[in-house]
Amino acid sequence: MTRRPWTPDEVAVLTAAYPDTPTEALATSLGRPVRAVYHKAKALGLRKSAAYLAGPHACRLRSGDNVGIGQRFQPGLVPWNKGMKGLRTGGEAGWFRPGRPPQEASNYRPIGSVRLSKDGYLERKVSDDRTSYPARRWVAVHRLVWEAAHGPVPQGSIVVFRPGLHTTEVEHITLDRLECITRRENMARNTVHNLPKPLAQLVRLQGVMRRQISKRSKA
């Protein structure tokens, strides 16, 4: 969402009215969120006047006169939920029962279901074991096809589609489209140096932009 900049007229109204006007009313008249008015007032160094702080609208801004004392917990007051450890509200329909099978979950998908991964590969569900890491419950279909013919994938290797033969149509994921290569071979195959020079420069520039965005986000 794009922030709406403050105009000189709005700043002038805020400067003149903020000391003696309830912030909520001022925000309504300016058509801005209350927090935005507070932030702008702070940036401008504005403060509520002594007369305002002494009045009924000051509420939490007042100090020294025990405003809001009637809403505080009093010494010796027993909380209404004392001794109700594990209290559940909303009725039994929303309770999670120990040992509840995954089939009862609203988003449950049975073994054999397929889905498209975030990397664009078709995956098939092979297990309902919730103690297993998700990557073990869903396995790439092309890997399952290769393992059915050759057994487990050797350590340090991966199953990939042959160049130009990638597909997400399950009936077209066949052994002749696949090959098992080492991770080093896969890295060399996909290196930026194999791309045309203009495209390689674009990929490098994209990497630089992502790193800068990441740094700014962390900062």
Side-chain angles (χ1 to χ4, degrees):
M1 181 176 66
T2 304
R3 293 182 178 180
R4 179 162 60 95
W6 287 76
T7 66
D9 288 342
E10 288 178 324
V11 172
V13 170
L14 179 65
T15 302
Y18 186 80
D20 297 294
T21 305
T23 307
E24 292 78 4
L26 192 54
T28 300
S29 65
L30 292 170
R32 293 180 175 274
V34 174
R35 65 178 182 278
V37 176
Y38 276 124
H39 290 168
K40 189 62 176 178
K42 182 177 181 180
L44 295 172
L46 303 178
R47 298 288 187 272
K48 294 297 185 184
S49 67
Y52 180 89
L53 294 175
H57 295 296
C59 299
R60 64 183 179 85
L61 298 179
R62 280 160 43 198
S63 61
D65 59 354
N66 287 324
V67 60
I69 190 172
Q71 307 301 320
R72 300 176 188 172
F73 281 104
Q74 302 301 318
L77 179 66
V78 179
W80 68 271
N81 60 342
K82 182 178 181 179
M84 298 182 183
K85 184 178 180 179
L87 176 66
R88 295 174 292 190
T89 60
E92 293 189 9
W95 296 359
F96 180 85
R97 296 180 297 278
R100 175 187 179 189
Q103 290 84 349
E104 291 187 11
S106 60
N107 61 345
Y108 172 75
R109 301 184 66 178
I111 293 176
S113 299
V114 293
R115 70 179 184 184
L116 195 64
S117 74
K118 63 180 181 179
D119 297 319
Y121 292 98
L122 204 63
E123 296 179 330
R124 176 174 288 127
K125 189 175 183 181
V126 298
S127 172
D128 270 333
D129 183 7
R130 288 183 296 180
T131 64
S132 174
Y133 188 73
R136 303 298 181 185
R137 297 198 298 269
W138 292 84
V139 180
V141 173
H142 64 277
R143 174 171 177 161
L144 293 174
V145 169
W146 193 91
E147 289 184 331
H150 300 290
V153 178
Q155 186 173 4
S157 298
I158 59 173
V159 177
V160 298
F161 286 94
R162 295 181 185 276
L165 297 180
H166 177 270
T167 180
T168 56
E169 298 182 26
V170 64
E171 64 273 13
H172 292 161
I173 302 178
T174 53
L175 197 60
D176 58 299
R177 288 176 174 263
L178 309 174
E179 61 181 334
C180 184
I181 62 176
T182 65
R183 295 187 180 276
R184 182 183 294 273
E185 290 176 304
N186 187 59
M187 185 180 297
R189 175 179 296 181
N190 294 291
T191 181
V192 69
H193 299 296
N194 292 336
L195 300 174
K197 188 174 181 179
L199 186 55
Q201 292 176 338
L202 183 61
V203 171
R204 292 191 185 97
L205 180 60
Q206 186 180 42
V208 172
M209 292 176 62
R210 286 179 176 173
R211 287 192 292 273
Q212 291 299 321
I213 291 172
S214 178
K215 287 181 181 179
R216 290 177 183 272
S217 298
K218 292 178 180 178

